[in-house]
Amino acid sequence: MTQFLSTAPYKGTRDFLPAEMSVRTQVFSKLYAVIESYGFERYDGPLLEPVELYEAKSGSELVNEQLFTLTDQGGRRLALRPEMTPSVARMIAANAPQLAFPARWYSHPNCHRYERPQKGRVREHWQINVDVFGSESLEAEVEIFELIHDMLCSLGAKPSQYEIRANDRVLAHSALRTYARIPDESLGKVMRVLDRWEKYPRDVVLKQLGELGLDSASITACEELTAKDFAGICAVAAPEDVAKSRLATILNSGMTNAAVRFDPLIVRGLDYYTSTVFEVFDTNPENRRSIFGGGRYDNLTALFSKQRIPGIGFGMGDVTLMDFLSGHGLAPAPNAGAQVVVLPLSPATRTPLKEAAARLRRAGLRVTTPHEDTQLGKELKKADKCGAKVAVIIGEDELARGKLVVRDLRRSTQREVAREDITAAVLAVLEHVD
RNA sequence: GUGGGCAUAGCUCAGUUGGUUAGAGCAGCAGACUGUGGCUCUGCGGGUCGCGGGUUCGAAUCCCGUUGCUCACCCCA
């Protein structure tokens, strides 16, 4: 008995059949175009990185539990990249002397994390990464916010369908320190508990804060902070920190028209963020979740060199993005492989068939021809099923008069045209069909 | 790592208090219609009922285990 292997892809990974690939390609092509319109340049990097690259700054949870790791034949510990930011920081640090800053770079790598798959989360996803390196200017933040709006707009999303929520770790930490008397070493942990504020019952969160060693006065103060708006947070944070906060300065000065809502509960899990952090949320009541996010990381290149190169950027994964688009009816329809089929009516018409196909391909059209001579009816049926819009039919009767038949598969109409006029005739059909 | 739901034809799913030969729609193939598709009609092929064990005269159905998928939790890009 033959034991067949499973045809299912490994848990949490996906096969992209042509129809899904077409959707993905269309969506991401639009995003690439918008990103490049801001002058960003595309780069790429290795799938494998030393584990140490993530141990330093990404956070212990990610490294200890979610990393796909392996050991090479030389005993080196490697990981499938779980995110791109450390890699790009490495590349920037390595090439800093030759680069012109600010460097606007983007990429579209596949990233891996070992975890239980669920809605919006898989083990391999494709994530667009957009980063600006070497700019201390607040305009870097503004540019990122505006770019995000333009990217989502290019996919047909309306501003009401999503929301950029932002926080600033400088500001949040200051408010926790001065208002809630949280010691510096607990700031990260407290922030992470507060991140659950909207998800958990009030008493659960308060209890978790107590478990971090906070006294009741601090816990009450933390609760009060979660309810404060931007002005309220600024009022209780140390004035010098408010002045230092990049996000506070941007919002106070009205530097951007891009809609950005201050949210004291935006935390983000990665340790390397230093000030501005943000997440883009779906406003669809069926899918109230974060689609993607990012932030400013001013010390990441310090892993590699003395040169201080601040960065800000975000990663946008395909899984949550597609959920967002589908939820709003914005996912594009797949494109057909071939627009035109050229069909022979007898083996004798093979040569003119090849000539016609070549002529159409030179005009930039996607063209197929059948490999075997079968019934015309079946070929037409197949062509329709594959999504072709036009059939060029080559019969000996017409050929004798120097003509070919161009059939509009959608309208079921056809006409004879001279062999030289075939391209124009096909284009004319495609024009009114699309 | 924890918990819920699901698993029957290529796909989506029916399947009665356990009852003998497990069905439908769609898809596929063939034909009606060998130089014109979508519609219609006719016929055909296709199932170890996820896997293993148990209960029973008898299991797709009940029980136990296991694997897979999925949703949620943990955590989070």
Side-chain angles (χ1 to χ4, degrees):
Chain A
M1 274 294 283
T2 307
Q3 184 66 49
F4 292 111
L5 296 175
S6 169
T7 57
Y10 169 65
K11 183 197 280 284
T13 65
R14 295 160 293 161
D15 295 329
F16 292 95
L17 303 191
E20 294 158 296
M21 197 64 203
S22 169
V23 172
R24 211 179 92 176
T25 303
Q26 291 178 66
V27 167
F28 284 107
S29 300
K30 286 179 190 160
L31 296 179
Y32 300 160
V34 176
I35 295 165
E36 288 177 14
S37 79
Y38 277 68
F40 283 75
E41 300 172 283
R42 189 161 173 178
Y43 67 93
D44 206 345
L47 178 62
L48 287 169
E49 290 278 10
V51 170
E52 296 76 44
L53 183 63
Y54 306 108
E55 283 176 335
K57 291 273 186 179
S58 294
S60 59
E61 165 79 18
L62 188 154
V63 172
N64 295 335
E65 292 167 43
Q66 300 194 329
L67 221 50
F68 273 96
T69 57
L70 62 105
T71 306
D72 75 4
Q73 282 84 336
R76 286 168 278 261
R77 293 165 62 230
L78 303 175
L80 296 184
R81 61 184 167 211
E83 53 162 339
M84 198 60 169
T85 310
S87 299
V88 68
R90 177 175 62 70
M91 290 181 238
I92 291 284
N95 297 282
Q98 297 87 271
L99 294 173
F101 292 107
R104 294 178 175 89
W105 283 21
Y106 84 101
S107 60
H108 192 192
N110 54 342
C111 298
H112 296 78
R113 290 193 182 203
Y114 187 77
E115 59 186 341
R116 287 283 278 269
Q118 59 188 279
K119 190 168 175 62
R121 302 176 66 181
V122 293
R123 288 186 176 177
E124 177 189 35
H125 75 149
W126 292 84
Q127 185 187 58
I128 285 196
N129 280 258
V130 180
D131 292 275
V132 178
F133 286 92
S135 173
E136 301 270 18
S137 170
L138 298 172
E139 291 295 343
E141 263 85 347
V142 171
E143 185 169 295
I144 290 291
F145 291 147
E146 291 175 354
L147 172 59
I148 287 170
H149 279 295
D150 281 352
M151 286 167 71
L152 293 173
C153 177
S154 77
L155 300 177
K158 298 193 187 73
S160 64
Q161 294 173 324
Y162 63 91
E163 184 173 53
I164 302 181
R165 297 191 209 162
N167 194 3
D168 189 321
R169 286 192 175 173
V170 171
L171 189 63
H173 288 173
S174 179
L176 286 172
R177 253 196 313 262
T178 59
Y179 189 74
R181 304 278 162 213
I182 307 293
D184 281 1
E185 63 273 16
S186 299
L187 287 172
K189 288 175 189 161
V190 171
M191 290 282 286
R192 237 165 262 179
V193 173
L194 291 178
D195 191 20
R196 300 171 192 151
W197 191 261
E198 288 183 333
K199 250 174 120 177
Y200 281 56
R202 172 174 175 273
D203 52 317
V204 172
V205 179
L206 297 186
K207 184 162 164 260
Q208 289 177 346
L209 287 174
E211 285 162 4
L212 290 176
L214 273 57
D215 60 32
S216 60
S218 286
I219 293 175
T220 306
C222 282
E223 180 176 6
E224 286 166 10
L225 286 176
T226 63
K228 288 191 188 296
D229 60 8
F230 174 57
I233 296 285
C234 288
V236 299
E240 65 270 23
D241 290 329
V242 176
K244 263 196 287 183
S245 164
R246 306 178 62 84
L247 184 67
T249 309
I250 290 167
L251 294 177
N252 279 327
S253 65
M255 281 179 68
T256 177
N257 295 324
V260 177
R261 198 186 97 188
F262 177 80
D263 182 343
L265 297 176
I266 295 293
V267 173
R268 310 277 302 157
L270 293 169
D271 291 344
Y272 52 64
Y273 291 123
T274 48
S275 56
T276 310
V277 286
F278 57 88
E279 287 187 45
V280 179
F281 281 79
D282 194 342
T283 57
N284 184 348
E286 306 279 306
N287 188 48
R288 289 201 158 279
R289 64 163 66 211
S290 168
I291 314 168
F292 63 97
R296 178 170 279 273
Y297 43 94
D298 283 346
N299 303 319
L300 205 45
T301 57
L303 293 172
F304 311 99
S305 75
K306 277 189 213 158
Q307 190 180 353
R308 183 187 140 76
I309 308 170
I312 178 172
F314 61 92
M316 178 193 261
D318 68 316
V319 180
T320 47
L321 178 66
M322 290 310 302
D323 283 348
F324 167 73
L325 294 178
S326 313
H328 293 284
L330 296 172
N335 280 331
Q339 303 159 288
V340 186
V341 293
V342 185
L343 304 174
L345 282 170
S346 66
T349 57
R350 272 277 157 193
T351 301
L353 169 134
K354 295 242 180 220
E355 285 167 10
R359 197 187 279 259
L360 293 168
R361 286 177 182 135
R362 278 197 298 275
L365 295 169
R366 306 190 302 274
V367 182
T368 61
T369 60
H371 291 157
E372 288 159 19
D373 298 312
T374 56
Q375 297 168 34
L376 180 61
K378 283 182 189 163
E379 289 300 333
L380 287 171
K381 192 173 176 179
K382 207 184 291 183
D384 184 58
K385 193 184 162 190
C386 293
K389 307 279 198 302
V390 185
V392 174
I393 302 166
I394 307 192
E396 293 181 70
D397 298 349
E398 292 85 353
L399 215 50
R401 301 194 303 273
K403 306 249 180 177
L404 303 171
V405 173
V406 173
R407 182 170 179 86
D408 180 334
L409 291 172
R410 288 288 174 281
R411 297 185 171 182
S412 296
T413 57
Q414 65 185 43
R415 64 191 183 94
E416 279 186 17
V417 302
R419 286 170 77 168
E420 319 71 79
D421 298 336
I422 177 177
T423 302
V426 168
L427 287 173
V429 173
L430 286 174
E431 201 155 305
H432 71 64
V433 168
D434 297 334

